[in-house]
Amino acid sequence: MIDIKNKKVIITIVVVGVLLIGGLAFLAITMYHQSQNYKEMQELAELDKQEMENEYQKFADQYNEMKTQINNDSIIEQLTQEQMKTEKLLEELKNVKASDAREIARLKKELETCRAVIRSYIFEIDSLNRLNQSLTEENTRIKDQYSEAEKRIENLNADKQTLSEKVAIAAQLEATGITMTRKNKRGGVAKRLNDWKTTQVDFTLAKNVTASNGEKTLYVVIKNTTGRTLSNGGTFTYANKELQYSIKKTIEYTGEATPITVYWNENTTYQKGTYSVSVFADGNMIGERSFSFDK
């Protein structure tokens, strides 16, 4: 039989063993949980590091995009420098371990600085773009106004030209009441072709308050039945051509109705048919009429 003393020793050994086993089990469980927590922390650190890398890359890409949105060499140079700095920090972040808390903290602080800088550039570029848009719109508005002014000037010039033409037409002299009378050698009316020695042409320069007053040279052109001008060789300019005239007369025109009488006294053989009389002044034909004689 086991004595009481030995029995106590055995119980003590069993209790110690149980406690030791329990302690080991607790330690194993604790170490397991610590291992799991460390693993989770590592994973979170890696995720945080990856998120930082993505943000650095986003900033670098954003700087590159902003350079295409502005036409300012100085600002483009600044953006390039900031882009290079961001890309350098990104490279440093890629090379650092997620467990390096000090470097991660430094790079995270740099990331905050980058974020603030890029926001300032976004605001500045947006302001410049809005200013440029405003200037472009103003430039377009001014161009439209200038174009409209040019059109108005063209219209005014056209109106002025039209008005000038109308004034010129209104100022043109007019020969009215043109008559052609056959005269015999005694100055009376010739009733037959054989008695026709002199041709008398009468007309009136109509009243015209818009016409210029002063000395006027009148040219009378008489054409016979064949269309030949009765002329002694004198010419005048009309429609950029030199025309022969029959009679030339200079008068003083006052703007009032002025009766005119001229004569063709040259030796001429007259025939039956139609004769025409045209009157010219100031480079214009101011009157015309035809006359027919059958005997």
Side-chain angles (χ1 to χ4, degrees):
M1 293 184 65
I2 300 174
D3 59 19
I4 293 174
K5 185 178 181 180
N6 290 334
K7 191 175 181 179
K8 287 181 178 179
V9 171
I10 293 170
I11 293 172
T12 299
I13 292 171
V14 170
V15 170
V16 170
V18 169
L19 290 174
L20 184 59
I21 292 170
L24 291 172
F26 176 77
L27 181 60
I29 292 171
T30 300
M31 291 178 66
Y32 173 76
H33 284 296
Q34 288 179 345
S35 174
Q36 288 296 108
N37 289 337
Y38 178 76
K39 185 177 179 181
E40 289 177 359
M41 289 176 63
Q42 283 291 98
E43 289 176 352
L44 287 175
E46 287 292 342
L47 288 174
D48 189 38
K49 179 173 177 289
Q50 185 61 51
E51 186 176 342
M52 288 172 61
E53 289 180 7
N54 292 340
E55 197 160 2
Y56 269 121
Q57 185 63 57
K58 183 181 71 174
F59 290 163
D61 294 340
Q62 202 162 359
Y63 278 124
N64 194 53
E65 182 181 351
M66 282 192 292
K67 287 191 292 185
T68 66
Q69 298 174 350
I70 194 167
N71 186 21
N72 185 302
D73 293 340
S74 176
I75 295 180
I76 289 175
E77 178 62 26
Q78 295 175 34
L79 292 173
T80 300
Q81 294 298 323
E82 292 296 333
Q83 182 183 1
M84 292 172 62
K85 179 180 177 182
T86 302
E87 290 173 346
K88 182 175 179 295
L89 290 171
L90 174 59
E91 193 62 30
E92 290 180 12
L93 179 60
K94 287 181 178 180
N95 293 328
V96 76
K97 291 183 178 180
S99 57
D100 192 340
R102 180 177 294 179
E103 276 300 294
I104 293 295
R106 180 183 71 82
L107 292 170
K108 186 171 288 188
K109 187 175 181 180
E110 291 284 357
L111 185 62
E112 289 297 323
T113 302
C114 288
R115 187 179 290 112
V117 169
I118 202 167
R119 282 175 181 169
S120 68
Y121 275 113
I122 289 173
F123 178 78
E124 182 177 0
I125 291 172
D126 182 62
S127 298
L128 286 173
N129 285 338
R130 279 190 279 113
L131 177 60
N132 287 337
Q133 182 179 358
S134 177
L135 291 174
T136 300
E137 291 173 353
E138 179 67 12
N139 188 39
T140 301
R141 185 180 66 82
I142 292 174
K143 284 183 177 179
D144 290 342
Q145 289 179 343
Y146 181 74
S147 178
E148 182 64 26
E150 279 189 325
K151 289 180 181 177
R152 289 180 181 177
I153 291 172
E154 289 176 2
N155 291 336
L156 286 174
N157 287 336
D159 291 343
K160 181 180 178 182
Q161 179 65 27
T162 301
L163 181 59
S164 297
E165 292 172 355
K166 288 181 178 179
V167 169
I169 292 172
Q172 183 175 305
L173 297 177
E174 182 182 9
T176 62
I178 299 173
T179 62
M180 180 178 177
T181 305
R182 300 183 299 178
K183 294 286 187 176
N184 57 33
K185 62 182 180 180
R186 292 183 299 276
V189 176
K191 297 181 178 180
R192 299 178 181 276
L193 288 173
N194 292 337
D195 297 330
W196 188 356
K197 302 301 180 182
T198 300
T199 301
Q200 177 181 320
V201 175
D202 295 280
F203 57 89
T204 299
L205 287 181
K207 179 179 179 179
N208 191 331
V209 295
T210 61
S212 60
N213 296 345
E215 192 175 85
K216 301 289 183 182
T217 300
L218 308 175
Y219 298 94
V220 177
V221 177
I222 303 172
K223 291 187 177 182
N224 63 16
T225 56
T226 63
R228 184 178 66 84
T229 299
L230 304 183
S231 175
N232 56 12
T235 62
F236 68 102
T237 303
Y238 173 69
N240 297 321
K241 294 180 180 180
E242 291 298 314
L243 301 182
Q244 289 185 325
Y245 63 82
S246 305
I247 308 162
K248 174 182 176 182
K249 185 170 184 176
T250 300
I251 63 152
E252 190 70 23
Y253 183 67
T254 62
E256 297 297 326
T258 306
I260 305 294
T261 298
V262 293
Y263 298 93
W264 171 254
N265 293 313
E266 303 294 332
N267 290 328
T268 305
T269 300
Y270 297 100
Q271 297 176 344
K272 291 190 298 182
T274 301
Y275 292 77
S276 68
V277 175
S278 302
V279 183
F280 297 82
D282 298 331
N284 300 305
M285 186 173 70
I286 63 173
E288 183 179 32
R289 187 177 177 186
S290 297
F291 301 90
S292 295
F293 301 101
D294 56 5
K295 60 179 181 177

PDB file of all heavy atoms in Angstrom, residues 76-92:
ATOM      1  N   ILE A  76       4.262  75.340 -66.691  1.00  0.00           N
ATOM      2  CA  ILE A  76       4.556  73.990 -67.168  1.00  0.00           C
ATOM      3  C   ILE A  76       5.871  73.496 -66.577  1.00  0.00           C
ATOM      4  O   ILE A  76       5.988  72.327 -66.163  1.00  0.00           O
ATOM      5  CB  ILE A  76       4.606  73.961 -68.709  1.00  0.00           C
ATOM      6  CG1 ILE A  76       3.195  74.130 -69.292  1.00  0.00           C
ATOM      7  CG2 ILE A  76       5.212  72.648 -69.218  1.00  0.00           C
ATOM      8  CD1 ILE A  76       3.142  74.231 -70.794  1.00  0.00           C
ATOM      9  N   GLU A  77       6.862  74.389 -66.494  1.00  0.00           N
ATOM     10  CA  GLU A  77       8.149  74.026 -65.895  1.00  0.00           C
ATOM     11  C   GLU A  77       7.973  73.684 -64.415  1.00  0.00           C
ATOM     12  O   GLU A  77       8.550  72.701 -63.912  1.00  0.00           O
ATOM     13  CB  GLU A  77       9.144  75.177 -66.057  1.00  0.00           C
ATOM     14  CG  GLU A  77      10.506  74.933 -65.422  1.00  0.00           C
ATOM     15  CD  GLU A  77      11.248  73.743 -66.017  1.00  0.00           C
ATOM     16  OE1 GLU A  77      10.997  73.399 -67.194  1.00  0.00           O
ATOM     17  OE2 GLU A  77      12.066  73.149 -65.290  1.00  0.00           O
ATOM     18  N   GLN A  78       7.159  74.459 -63.702  1.00  0.00           N
ATOM     19  CA  GLN A  78       6.892  74.178 -62.283  1.00  0.00           C
ATOM     20  C   GLN A  78       6.191  72.841 -62.120  1.00  0.00           C
ATOM     21  O   GLN A  78       6.511  72.054 -61.213  1.00  0.00           O
ATOM     22  CB  GLN A  78       6.042  75.299 -61.697  1.00  0.00           C
ATOM     23  CG  GLN A  78       6.740  76.657 -61.650  1.00  0.00           C
ATOM     24  CD  GLN A  78       5.809  77.752 -61.171  1.00  0.00           C
ATOM     25  OE1 GLN A  78       4.935  77.526 -60.338  1.00  0.00           O
ATOM     26  NE2 GLN A  78       5.977  78.943 -61.724  1.00  0.00           N
ATOM     27  N   LEU A  79       5.224  72.583 -62.975  1.00  0.00           N
ATOM     28  CA  LEU A  79       4.491  71.309 -62.908  1.00  0.00           C
ATOM     29  C   LEU A  79       5.427  70.136 -63.178  1.00  0.00           C
ATOM     30  O   LEU A  79       5.309  69.072 -62.550  1.00  0.00           O
ATOM     31  CB  LEU A  79       3.350  71.320 -63.918  1.00  0.00           C
ATOM     32  CG  LEU A  79       2.195  72.277 -63.639  1.00  0.00           C
ATOM     33  CD1 LEU A  79       1.226  72.287 -64.807  1.00  0.00           C
ATOM     34  CD2 LEU A  79       1.467  71.891 -62.359  1.00  0.00           C
ATOM     35  N   THR A  80       6.358  70.320 -64.103  1.00  0.00           N
ATOM     36  CA  THR A  80       7.320  69.254 -64.414  1.00  0.00           C
ATOM     37  C   THR A  80       8.186  68.946 -63.201  1.00  0.00           C
ATOM     38  O   THR A  80       8.444  67.774 -62.883  1.00  0.00           O
ATOM     39  CB  THR A  80       8.200  69.671 -65.610  1.00  0.00           C
ATOM     40  OG1 THR A  80       7.372  69.915 -66.746  1.00  0.00           O
ATOM     41  CG2 THR A  80       9.204  68.581 -65.953  1.00  0.00           C
ATOM     42  N   GLN A  81       8.643  70.007 -62.504  1.00  0.00           N
ATOM     43  CA  GLN A  81       9.468  69.810 -61.306  1.00  0.00           C
ATOM     44  C   GLN A  81       8.688  69.075 -60.218  1.00  0.00           C
ATOM     45  O   GLN A  81       9.212  68.163 -59.558  1.00  0.00           O
ATOM     46  CB  GLN A  81       9.959  71.169 -60.780  1.00  0.00           C
ATOM     47  CG  GLN A  81      10.928  71.894 -61.705  1.00  0.00           C
ATOM     48  CD  GLN A  81      12.213  71.110 -61.923  1.00  0.00           C
ATOM     49  OE1 GLN A  81      12.727  70.449 -61.015  1.00  0.00           O
ATOM     50  NE2 GLN A  81      12.726  71.177 -63.163  1.00  0.00           N
ATOM     51  N   GLU A  82       7.443  69.467 -60.012  1.00  0.00           N
ATOM     52  CA  GLU A  82       6.610  68.797 -59.001  1.00  0.00           C
ATOM     53  C   GLU A  82       6.324  67.348 -59.389  1.00  0.00           C
ATOM     54  O   GLU A  82       6.283  66.459 -58.536  1.00  0.00           O
ATOM     55  CB  GLU A  82       5.299  69.566 -58.814  1.00  0.00           C
ATOM     56  CG  GLU A  82       5.454  70.934 -58.166  1.00  0.00           C
ATOM     57  CD  GLU A  82       5.986  70.841 -56.743  1.00  0.00           C
ATOM     58  OE1 GLU A  82       5.760  69.811 -56.078  1.00  0.00           O
ATOM     59  OE2 GLU A  82       6.644  71.804 -56.310  1.00  0.00           O
ATOM     60  N   GLN A  83       6.141  67.117 -60.678  1.00  0.00           N
ATOM     61  CA  GLN A  83       5.912  65.747 -61.152  1.00  0.00           C
ATOM     62  C   GLN A  83       7.141  64.869 -60.882  1.00  0.00           C
ATOM     63  O   GLN A  83       7.014  63.730 -60.401  1.00  0.00           O
ATOM     64  CB  GLN A  83       5.593  65.755 -62.639  1.00  0.00           C
ATOM     65  CG  GLN A  83       5.294  64.369 -63.203  1.00  0.00           C
ATOM     66  CD  GLN A  83       5.047  64.392 -64.698  1.00  0.00           C
ATOM     67  OE1 GLN A  83       5.117  65.438 -65.334  1.00  0.00           O
ATOM     68  NE2 GLN A  83       4.758  63.245 -65.264  1.00  0.00           N
ATOM     69  N   MET A  84       8.315  65.405 -61.179  1.00  0.00           N
ATOM     70  CA  MET A  84       9.555  64.647 -60.927  1.00  0.00           C
ATOM     71  C   MET A  84       9.735  64.369 -59.432  1.00  0.00           C
ATOM     72  O   MET A  84      10.155  63.275 -59.038  1.00  0.00           O
ATOM     73  CB  MET A  84      10.748  65.439 -61.475  1.00  0.00           C
ATOM     74  CG  MET A  84      10.760  65.537 -63.002  1.00  0.00           C
ATOM     75  SD  MET A  84      12.033  66.656 -63.627  1.00  0.00           S
ATOM     76  CE  MET A  84      13.517  65.823 -63.031  1.00  0.00           C
ATOM     77  N   LYS A  85       9.414  65.361 -58.598  1.00  0.00           N
ATOM     78  CA  LYS A  85       9.522  65.169 -57.150  1.00  0.00           C
ATOM     79  C   LYS A  85       8.561  64.079 -56.678  1.00  0.00           C
ATOM     80  O   LYS A  85       8.915  63.219 -55.859  1.00  0.00           O
ATOM     81  CB  LYS A  85       9.207  66.493 -56.452  1.00  0.00           C
ATOM     82  CG  LYS A  85       9.271  66.424 -54.938  1.00  0.00           C
ATOM     83  CD  LYS A  85       8.945  67.781 -54.328  1.00  0.00           C
ATOM     84  CE  LYS A  85       8.947  67.696 -52.799  1.00  0.00           C
ATOM     85  NZ  LYS A  85       8.585  69.001 -52.196  1.00  0.00           N
ATOM     86  N   THR A  86       7.339  64.103 -57.200  1.00  0.00           N
ATOM     87  CA  THR A  86       6.334  63.093 -56.830  1.00  0.00           C
ATOM     88  C   THR A  86       6.776  61.701 -57.269  1.00  0.00           C
ATOM     89  O   THR A  86       6.627  60.721 -56.518  1.00  0.00           O
ATOM     90  CB  THR A  86       4.983  63.447 -57.473  1.00  0.00           C
ATOM     91  OG1 THR A  86       4.588  64.752 -57.055  1.00  0.00           O
ATOM     92  CG2 THR A  86       3.907  62.453 -57.071  1.00  0.00           C
ATOM     93  N   GLU A  87       7.300  61.599 -58.480  1.00  0.00           N
ATOM     94  CA  GLU A  87       7.766  60.300 -58.980  1.00  0.00           C
ATOM     95  C   GLU A  87       8.950  59.777 -58.166  1.00  0.00           C
ATOM     96  O   GLU A  87       9.080  58.569 -57.946  1.00  0.00           O
ATOM     97  CB  GLU A  87       8.142  60.432 -60.455  1.00  0.00           C
ATOM     98  CG  GLU A  87       6.928  60.627 -61.369  1.00  0.00           C
ATOM     99  CD  GLU A  87       7.311  60.930 -62.800  1.00  0.00           C
ATOM    100  OE1 GLU A  87       8.500  61.254 -63.033  1.00  0.00           O
ATOM    101  OE2 GLU A  87       6.429  60.843 -63.686  1.00  0.00           O
ATOM    102  N   LYS A  88       9.808  60.694 -57.681  1.00  0.00           N
ATOM    103  CA  LYS A  88      10.942  60.292 -56.835  1.00  0.00           C
ATOM    104  C   LYS A  88      10.444  59.731 -55.504  1.00  0.00           C
ATOM    105  O   LYS A  88      10.921  58.699 -55.001  1.00  0.00           O
ATOM    106  CB  LYS A  88      11.854  61.491 -56.604  1.00  0.00           C
ATOM    107  CG  LYS A  88      13.106  61.192 -55.769  1.00  0.00           C
ATOM    108  CD  LYS A  88      13.987  62.427 -55.711  1.00  0.00           C
ATOM    109  CE  LYS A  88      15.220  62.144 -54.850  1.00  0.00           C
ATOM    110  NZ  LYS A  88      14.903  61.892 -53.438  1.00  0.00           N
ATOM    111  N   LEU A  89       9.460  60.418 -54.898  1.00  0.00           N
ATOM    112  CA  LEU A  89       8.884  59.944 -53.638  1.00  0.00           C
ATOM    113  C   LEU A  89       8.185  58.602 -53.831  1.00  0.00           C
ATOM    114  O   LEU A  89       8.232  57.723 -52.955  1.00  0.00           O
ATOM    115  CB  LEU A  89       7.902  60.983 -53.101  1.00  0.00           C
ATOM    116  CG  LEU A  89       8.536  62.295 -52.586  1.00  0.00           C
ATOM    117  CD1 LEU A  89       7.451  63.318 -52.288  1.00  0.00           C
ATOM    118  CD2 LEU A  89       9.380  62.023 -51.338  1.00  0.00           C
ATOM    119  N   LEU A  90       7.527  58.451 -54.982  1.00  0.00           N
ATOM    120  CA  LEU A  90       6.872  57.175 -55.285  1.00  0.00           C
ATOM    121  C   LEU A  90       7.899  56.045 -55.359  1.00  0.00           C
ATOM    122  O   LEU A  90       7.663  54.947 -54.837  1.00  0.00           O
ATOM    123  CB  LEU A  90       6.115  57.288 -56.609  1.00  0.00           C
ATOM    124  CG  LEU A  90       5.482  56.001 -57.143  1.00  0.00           C
ATOM    125  CD1 LEU A  90       4.477  55.424 -56.153  1.00  0.00           C
ATOM    126  CD2 LEU A  90       4.813  56.246 -58.495  1.00  0.00           C
ATOM    127  N   GLU A  91       9.042  56.327 -55.983  1.00  0.00           N
ATOM    128  CA  GLU A  91      10.088  55.306 -56.092  1.00  0.00           C
ATOM    129  C   GLU A  91      10.638  54.954 -54.709  1.00  0.00           C
ATOM    130  O   GLU A  91      10.900  53.788 -54.408  1.00  0.00           O
ATOM    131  CB  GLU A  91      11.217  55.832 -57.004  1.00  0.00           C
ATOM    132  CG  GLU A  91      12.200  54.765 -57.447  1.00  0.00           C
ATOM    133  CD  GLU A  91      11.541  53.666 -58.270  1.00  0.00           C
ATOM    134  OE1 GLU A  91      10.539  53.957 -58.960  1.00  0.00           O
ATOM    135  OE2 GLU A  91      12.039  52.521 -58.211  1.00  0.00           O
ATOM    136  N   GLU A  92      10.792  55.974 -53.850  1.00  0.00           N
ATOM    137  CA  GLU A  92      11.260  55.714 -52.477  1.00  0.00           C
ATOM    138  C   GLU A  92      10.252  54.850 -51.741  1.00  0.00           C
ATOM    139  O   GLU A  92      10.633  53.923 -50.991  1.00  0.00           O
ATOM    140  CB  GLU A  92      11.454  57.040 -51.742  1.00  0.00           C
ATOM    141  CG  GLU A  92      12.629  57.872 -52.237  1.00  0.00           C
ATOM    142  CD  GLU A  92      12.754  59.177 -51.461  1.00  0.00           C
ATOM    143  OE1 GLU A  92      12.092  59.326 -50.409  1.00  0.00           O
ATOM    144  OE2 GLU A  92      13.506  60.064 -51.913  1.00  0.00           O
TER     145      GLU A  92
END
